[in-house]
Amino acid sequence: MYRINIVLHEPEIPQNTGNIARTCAATGASLHIIRPMGFEIDDRKLKRAGLDYWDKLDITYYDNYADFLTKRPEAIGNTYYFSTKAPKGYTEIEYPDNVFIMFGKETRGIPEDILYDNKDFCVRIPMRDTIRSLNLSNSVAIAVYEIIRQKGFENLIAQGKLTTRDW
């Protein structure tokens, strides 16, 4: 059984965090938030973006990056840092069963000192060079579903059904 841990380093926009929380609820991923945040957790926009899935979340908060590493030593060597500055593509990785994927704040990304200290674990989502970055919640969804695809969509419903007739 695999475990996906989404780590948001100092998120700033409540709607993005709410959308990411919904992705966590839909996929069974855990959400880890490193403070400071650019909003209050009870922010109306955050709740609206996550809809009614807050009770289905496994969410943990940390005071800073050092606090995260202290409380989650298993993340060391199992964290992939998603950044537009990374030299390697996210599909080049075979993700471990207990993986942490970190994303930085919307305006600046993950601090460069963290990226440099973890250069072998930095990955990027390819995009055109005229675009600064993708939306944070979209990037998280892309990463999560690549990991889930690699794991064969285990424990997820892979087929839908019509409501008024059979396929």
Side-chain angles (χ1 to χ4, degrees):
M1 177 71 182
Y2 66 92
R3 185 88 187 138
I4 299 173
N5 297 277
I6 299 168
V7 183
L8 302 182
H9 187 275
E10 302 180 3
E12 298 170 313
I13 300 174
Q15 294 92 329
N16 282 335
T17 301
N19 287 333
I20 292 164
R22 187 173 183 162
T23 297
C24 289
T27 61
S30 296
L31 182 58
H32 305 264
I33 297 179
I34 298 174
R35 294 180 178 109
M37 299 181 296
F39 52 88
E40 295 297 321
I41 203 63
D42 61 353
D43 189 301
R44 187 173 53 87
K45 293 174 187 167
L46 176 73
K47 298 266 188 208
R48 185 173 50 214
L51 297 174
D52 55 350
Y53 300 112
W54 288 101
D55 63 324
K56 295 168 180 49
L57 289 178
D58 173 21
I59 186 167
T60 308
Y61 300 93
Y62 306 89
D63 293 330
N64 51 50
Y65 180 65
D67 184 40
F68 166 73
L69 292 177
T70 299
K71 291 179 178 168
R72 296 291 177 179
E74 71 273 22
I76 298 169
N78 287 315
T79 300
Y80 289 86
Y81 301 82
F82 279 71
S83 172
T84 59
K85 300 168 186 167
K88 186 175 5 182
Y90 76 106
T91 58
E92 297 175 47
I93 304 300
E94 185 176 326
Y95 295 94
D97 284 344
N98 187 26
V99 66
F100 291 78
I101 53 175
M102 182 179 286
F103 299 83
K105 66 171 70 180
E106 290 89 342
T107 57
R108 292 199 248 331
I110 298 170
E112 286 192 6
D113 58 332
I114 293 174
L115 295 176
Y116 184 80
D117 290 344
N118 297 282
K119 58 183 160 235
D120 293 336
F121 296 92
C122 292
V123 294
R124 72 175 273 121
I125 299 170
M127 65 189 85
R128 294 171 53 199
D129 64 354
T130 56
I131 304 298
R132 185 178 66 247
S133 66
L134 292 170
N135 172 273
L136 177 62
S137 62
N138 292 339
S139 296
V140 170
I142 289 168
V144 167
Y145 273 90
E146 171 60 17
I147 295 166
I148 291 171
R149 183 197 64 78
Q150 287 185 14
K151 306 298 182 184
F153 298 101
E154 185 180 318
N155 296 320
L156 295 180
I157 298 170
Q159 270 188 325
K161 58 184 176 179
L162 299 173
T163 57
T164 59
R165 55 180 83 183
D166 291 330
W167 284 110

